[in-house]
Amino acid sequence: MFPTHRPRRLRSHPQLRRMVQETVVTTNDLIYPLFAVPGESVAQEVSSMPGVYQLSIDKVVEEAKEVYDLGIPAVILFGIPTEKDTDATGAWHDHGIVQKASTAVKEAVPDLIVIVDTCLCEYTQHGHCGYLETGDLTGRVLNDPTLELLKKTAVSQAKAGADIIAPSGMMDGFVQAIRAGLDEGGFEDIPIMSYAAKYSSAYYGPFRDAAESAPQFGDRRTYQMDPANSREAIKEIELDIAEGADMLMVKPALAYMDIIWQVKQASNLPVAAYNVSGEYSMVKAAALNGWVDEEKVVMETLMSFKRSGADMILTYHAKDAARWLG
């Protein structure tokens, strides 16, 4: 009871505040997304994501070196192919854009962890994450045939040097299928970071500009989760754990910190939070207009993800955050 108890005593000096700080963000927590495109010397800024670029592989390697020098332990690679087709050939071909980028980064920066997005939407003409039912114009994605494509994609990415496979399509059974494919291919030591609770979110808009992956009709609500649901997220993560996931991801992060917390409480696996494109772009737009202090807002947001239970944070702010952390 006051005046015996005065919580302000522990806030009276900067060093004292450091000593009692409960949550700390470090560069070890950060993962930086990169978008690989064909060509050479390409660095095309994404109009809806200031400071984020589509990069040719030589430029991806330059970025990877910078990321490593900043102390960030990992990148996640997304690819935009030259051509798209109904079989998502660019996703699983040995000479696909992500495969070539993975090999180039591992050769140039062998100690940097390369995570690869294992999905099909960037590689299909229709922009959906799997096979479509023949003649169906309602956007129905066929689950089981898609699993075979995801398995092929994961194995080809592992062959190319990827350290972690990160399937994001939210197909039923995708972790089990990918785990079986990796094990059969001799990649039993490659871990899977499952997008276990990926919501059908409006926060993905700028990413679809960056990855050129917007669905050409319909939406992804038949496979991505309803933003209204939290119990379903726990069901999804339990299934992925049973199927062999090594790490779990919640996406998006900012409006889903309650989900991050619940996933952390329900699991003993490492939990990743994806600070997605829309979250990034809102902060960038406000900062460019002088409405917020970018550094303070970003670091407070990253801290809140960590406090909610995230062990890893995928964020387009990663390089800036690493510099601010010093």
Side-chain angles (χ1 to χ4, degrees):
M1 298 288 291
F2 179 83
T4 302
H5 296 285
R6 294 178 179 266
R8 288 184 60 188
R9 290 172 182 149
L10 299 184
R11 306 175 197 147
S12 60
H13 191 280
Q15 301 292 29
L16 183 53
R17 291 195 294 274
R18 285 180 59 204
M19 290 169 63
V20 299
Q21 185 173 347
E22 299 172 20
T23 306
V24 178
V25 175
T26 75
T27 54
N28 294 337
D29 304 317
L30 305 176
I31 298 167
Y32 189 56
L34 291 169
F35 297 93
V37 297
E40 292 184 9
S41 302
V42 177
Q44 177 67 42
E45 188 171 29
V46 179
S47 60
S48 56
M49 299 180 70
V52 174
Y53 295 82
Q54 293 179 333
L55 302 168
S56 53
I57 291 175
D58 56 319
K59 293 294 185 180
V60 166
V61 169
E62 290 179 14
E63 282 285 284
K65 290 177 179 178
E66 182 179 358
V67 165
Y68 182 75
D69 289 343
L70 286 168
I72 299 168
V75 296
I76 182 167
L77 295 177
F78 299 89
I80 300 96
T82 303
E83 296 180 356
K84 304 186 179 194
D85 56 43
T86 55
D87 291 327
T89 305
W92 49 265
H93 197 283
D94 287 344
H95 299 293
I97 186 69
V98 163
Q99 286 79 357
K100 291 195 290 186
S102 299
T103 300
V105 170
K106 291 304 294 185
E107 288 178 350
V109 198
D111 289 335
L112 183 68
I113 294 296
V114 172
I115 307 167
V116 286
D117 179 68
T118 305
C119 195
L120 308 176
C121 60
E122 297 105 310
Y123 306 95
T124 57
Q125 295 165 327
H126 45 73
H128 281 282
C129 300
Y131 274 124
L132 296 184
E133 187 173 29
T134 302
D136 186 1
L137 300 180
T138 66
R140 181 169 182 264
V141 174
L142 298 177
N143 192 91
D144 295 7
T146 298
L147 298 181
E148 292 304 311
L149 286 183
L150 291 172
K151 182 190 295 188
K152 288 171 62 176
T153 300
V155 172
S156 71
Q157 292 170 335
K159 287 179 180 177
D163 297 296
I164 297 173
I165 301 298
S168 61
M170 287 300 287
M171 296 294 116
D172 294 341
F174 70 162
V175 172
Q176 179 176 297
I178 288 170
R179 184 73 271 160
L182 291 172
D183 291 354
E184 290 164 6
F187 299 106
E188 60 275 358
D189 293 329
I190 298 291
I192 295 174
M193 175 190 284
S194 173
Y195 287 61
K198 181 179 180 180
Y199 285 84
S200 182
S201 172
Y203 283 98
Y204 301 149
F207 173 90
R208 291 172 182 171
D209 294 337
E212 300 179 11
S213 62
Q216 298 304 299
F217 59 89
D219 55 43
R220 295 178 177 148
R221 294 182 184 180
T222 65
Y223 43 104
Q224 294 178 357
M225 287 180 54
D226 186 336
N229 295 353
S230 61
R231 293 192 302 271
E232 185 183 9
I234 304 308
K235 177 180 180 180
E236 289 281 5
I237 69 123
E238 289 174 345
L239 289 170
D240 285 5
I241 292 169
E243 291 175 16
D246 301 282
M247 294 171 273
L248 306 169
M249 189 190 298
V250 176
K251 181 181 180 180
L254 188 61
Y256 296 84
M257 283 189 277
D258 61 319
I259 306 300
I260 298 170
W261 174 257
Q262 290 180 60
V263 169
K264 187 65 174 180
Q265 297 306 302
S267 164
N268 59 7
L269 296 185
V271 176
Y274 202 138
N275 181 204
V276 299
S277 60
E279 299 164 4
Y280 170 87
S281 294
M282 289 191 299
V283 172
K284 276 292 183 181
L288 289 169
N289 279 285
W291 298 336
V292 298
D293 183 313
E294 182 176 2
E295 178 179 346
K296 290 181 179 178
V297 167
V298 169
M299 295 311 299
E300 182 178 341
T301 302
L302 298 180
M303 182 78 72
S304 68
F305 297 151
K306 190 84 181 289
R307 191 183 65 243
S308 297
D311 300 291
M312 296 163 281
I313 304 167
L314 294 82
T315 177
Y316 305 96
H317 297 292
K319 290 199 303 180
D320 287 336
R323 294 187 185 102
W324 295 329
L325 288 166

